[in-house]
Each structure stands twice: as C-alpha cells, then as structure tokens.
Amino acid sequence: MEITIVTIIIAYICGSISSAILICRFKKLPDPRTIGSKNPGTTNISRINKKIAIIVLLLDILKGAIPMWLAQILNIPTFWLGTIPIVTCMGHIYPIFFKFCGGKGMATAFGALTTISLNLSGLMFCIWSITVLLSGFASLGSIITLTIIPFYTWLFYPQYALQITILAIIILIQHQSNAQRLINGRENNIWKS
C-alpha cells in the first residue's frame, strides 16, 4: 500500500509540472494564464507560438504516461492503477507549483490512457481529430471524445470504467465555458484564427 500511495503522490506532482508555463518563461513569452483563454494548455499556447504548442502537447501527453508506466512497473493493484490518470490530471488542472491554476487535462488524460490501451487512445485520437477537422473547434472535439470514451471503456475495459468515467466528467467540467461559447457561437474556430 505504501508503494501505491507514493505512486499517487508522484502522479500528482508530475501532473503539476506545467510545461506551458515553464516553456513560456524559458522563451520569455507571455504567461499563458494572462492571455487568450488564460489557460496554460496547447490550444491557448498555439495563439502565442504554434511550434511551442506542439512541444507543450507532447510534454503534456508524456506527463500523463510517465506515472502510469511507473505504476505498471511497480505492479500496483488494478483499481489504484485506474486512479493514476485522475490524480495526474488533477495535478495538471490544479498544479501545486502554479497556484492551482492549470490546464484542462485533455492531453494529459490522453497520455495516461495510451498506456492502458492503444485501442483506447487511438479511438480518442480519431474521434477528436475527425470532430476538429469537420467543425474547426478543438473544444468540441474534446467534449465529444470525453462523452464517448466512457461507454467504450465500460464495454472493453470494465476494470477501468469507473475511473475513466470520473476522469471524463472532471475534464468535461473544465470545458463548461467552452460549451457555453459553442452554444452562443463565440468559440474560436481554429481554422479561422
């Protein structure tokens, strides 16, 4: 149990490392929490610098995967293994190092779920990509993906279904403002920006 607790703490700390904020500081760029959507995530970073946004995306995916790899190596029980993505994403959303002001957690969740199953992460990528290509809204891609993934998990990975459903709900809550802007027609279209 001690190893499980340590792994959960590591997952939160890993999630709390905001690549968006750190890279912007290193490159002497504006703090992403002060511009655009004020969100230190890939979409907002792309408004500052698209190349840096790709780096942020990859690092956020990696920080979701690393705690899961560690947990799998340490062979922690299945239930607790399923909670690692939740804890890592909570670190990303509420980072202890950055006054609990973080991103929305989509890329970090994707990274974590990649280690559970490439089929699961592949489905996430396909749903998100198709939605974004057809609509031009990254947030709509996230919302639709997060709505579908729990059903897929209940069918094919029931041992993780509860945790992934909770994770999807947490990240959907982070997209409330996006959903409101989509309804009101005020959400930024990535093809037009």
Side-chain angles (χ1 to χ4, degrees):
M1 191 62 187
E2 292 84 2
I3 291 174
T4 301
I5 293 168
V6 170
T7 307
I8 289 170
I9 292 168
I10 290 170
Y12 176 77
I13 291 170
C14 192
S16 290
I17 300 168
S18 176
S19 56
I21 296 171
L22 292 173
I23 290 172
C24 284
R25 282 183 185 174
F26 179 74
K27 291 284 189 178
K28 295 183 171 52
L29 294 169
D31 188 323
R33 296 170 296 179
T34 63
I35 62 166
S37 65
K38 298 181 173 33
N39 183 272
T42 303
T43 304
N44 198 33
I45 292 294
S46 68
R47 297 182 180 109
I48 302 170
N49 185 303
K50 286 184 169 40
K51 288 182 182 177
I52 290 176
I54 293 169
I55 296 169
V56 168
L57 174 65
L58 294 174
L59 289 174
D60 282 352
I61 290 171
L62 188 61
K63 80 175 181 183
I66 288 171
M68 283 294 286
W69 286 330
L70 176 63
Q72 289 166 344
I73 289 166
L74 295 174
N75 201 29
I76 71 170
T78 301
F79 175 82
W80 294 109
L81 181 64
T83 65
I84 296 295
I86 298 172
V87 176
T88 308
C89 286
M90 290 303 286
H92 179 81
I93 296 165
Y94 302 108
I96 193 168
F97 306 123
F98 300 99
K99 300 179 182 177
F100 303 99
C101 180
K104 294 182 179 175
M106 189 66 183
T108 303
F110 175 77
L113 299 186
T114 297
T115 67
I116 290 176
S117 163
L118 290 177
N119 291 336
L120 180 59
S121 57
L123 180 66
M124 285 182 73
F125 178 76
C126 288
I127 295 168
W128 186 88
S129 298
I130 291 168
T131 305
V132 174
L133 285 171
L134 293 176
S135 70
F137 297 110
S139 58
L140 183 61
S142 297
I143 291 166
I144 290 175
T145 302
L146 292 165
T147 304
I148 293 172
I149 284 302
F151 294 102
Y152 180 83
T153 308
W154 281 100
L155 286 172
F156 296 103
Y157 302 97
Q159 70 272 32
Y160 301 116
L162 176 62
Q163 296 95 322
I164 291 175
T165 301
I166 292 168
L167 177 63
I169 291 168
I170 289 168
I171 301 175
L172 279 168
I173 289 169
Q174 302 307 307
H175 284 81
Q176 277 183 349
S177 59
N178 300 94
Q180 194 62 50
R181 287 195 298 272
L182 284 165
I183 291 167
N184 296 333
R186 295 202 308 269
E187 183 74 331
N188 290 325
N189 188 303
I190 62 171
W191 305 131
K192 295 177 182 176
S193 60

